[in-house]
Amino acid sequence: MLRTRVLVIDDEPGIRNFIVKTMTPHCLDVAQAGSAEEAEALVAARMFDVVILDNRMPGTSGLEWLAEQRRRGSLSDTIIMTAFADLDTAIEAMRAGAVDFVLKPFRSNQILNAVRRCVELAAMRRENALLRHELSTGDPGRSRRARLIGDSAQVEEVRRMLARVARVPTPVLITGESGTGKEVAARHLHGLSERAHAPFVPVNCAAIPAEMLEIELFGHTRGAFPGAEALREGLLVSAQGGTVFLDEIGELSASAQTALLRVIEDRTIRPIGAERELPLDIRLVFATSKHLPDEVAAGRFREDLWFRVNVLEIHMPPLRRRGADTVDLARLFVEELSAQLGLPRIEIDAAARAAILRHDWPGNIRELRNFVERALIFARFPIEQLSPAPSGPIEPLDDVERREILAALEATGGNRAEAARRLGVSRKTIDRKCAAWGL
């Protein structure tokens, strides 16, 4: 089945009924209109992936209607139908923005194949655009893991939360220090959802200049501004049916925050220069390493946007709180990087394991990956670069735990939920410990 929505426009009822009957078993939705004016009302109400358009109709011709739709920002791929095969009409159709040309009369398999070609070309076009985006904003040598690694209680809690929210469309906010794996968590959520077959589009809001962010996200029409020589789909439209991961939303400019609020509330976008809004079918996942309530208090982040993105919050624990997961990740990086760099693997011996577990990893997973990469290059783990073993008396673990929890509660004014978030543990853990201490 083609995951596509088709609109048939023809003034002949017999042709319309034939195409609708042919396409209905293969498409999500098939609508029909007997004139350009009737079609106008349909495209204003919802978006179609493919339009099958007759050229010669009473009133506005098919090519005139198509040219007007392109000017107003329509992104639907269009197949022109005509009974008059001449080169001038074909050239005019392509100039107007048609992607295929079908001569009447035609058989059912001909129109079905034309629609299938449109769908495949659109998918290829969007895939290429998304690949170019990833190559321009990321490190092509780095793997894009779609599953969380580790067996610690903190990671198991994150997995449980992601599984719980995977099949609902509610926006999710993933918080945590830089380098804790927020994008991996978002990919994990996408893989669990019903949207796993569709694109996952990561957008680092801090890496795109403020003046370019809206162009990247929303796209633009031809001639929308100097240099806009062709119609361009934005990243949000390219992700139709899938998931968009907006990383570091705390870095968004004021205008971008306003535009994002409209997207969340209306589930539509308007490409720059377009006159018509386009409906969106995407899952939004946000991430930030900043404490957004502080940004709201400082006037740098819109309060109404904060309320919209903070429906479900999932906190990624820092690496120093994940125990043996650190060694598991180090082994994974040894496997990945040795293959990428063409270097022999090295074993994580007892001394390296102890040093890895002892270190605080302020740079989190990114720092660990860089440490493993240096180790492969020099064929040994440079454990002297990590935190040295304590030389003084060893403090009981219960005392360390009590001191850190009480310090976190004092720093947060007794807010147990916030203290748990900063410590990378659950609220229940804080409550249980406080009860045991008589607090």
Side-chain angles (χ1 to χ4, degrees), residues 370-385:
N370 293 341
F371 173 75
V372 171
E373 188 167 349
R374 287 195 299 272
L376 289 170
I377 292 171
F378 294 104
R380 71 175 189 87
F381 284 101
I383 58 177
E384 67 278 0
Q385 298 178 6

Side-chain angles (χ1 to χ4, degrees), residues 125-205:
R125 185 174 63 245
R126 287 177 173 172
E127 183 178 352
N128 287 341
L130 295 176
L131 285 173
R132 286 196 300 270
H133 166 70
E134 287 225 34
L135 289 172
S136 65
T137 58
D139 180 353
R142 302 222 172 191
S143 63
R144 296 287 186 258
R145 289 195 307 278
R147 289 291 182 271
L148 290 168
I149 304 298
D151 299 316
S152 64
Q154 291 88 344
V155 170
E156 287 294 343
E157 175 66 13
V158 171
R159 284 199 194 96
R160 187 187 67 79
M161 286 294 296
L162 292 174
R164 188 175 184 84
V165 303
R167 297 188 179 277
V168 296
T170 308
V172 174
L173 175 65
I174 304 176
T175 60
E177 298 175 10
S178 179
T180 50
K182 295 187 286 294
E183 182 177 333
V184 175
R187 290 180 182 272
H188 185 102
L189 176 64
H190 175 69
L192 293 175
S193 73
E194 296 175 347
R195 300 174 180 269
H197 67 277
F200 175 90
V201 182
V203 181
N204 188 337
C205 299

Side-chain angles (χ1 to χ4, degrees), residues 415-430:
N415 187 328
R416 294 186 180 185
E418 177 61 18
R421 189 189 72 81
R422 296 191 187 183
L423 290 170
V425 298
S426 68
R427 166 66 186 267
K428 290 182 180 179
T429 298
I430 300 293

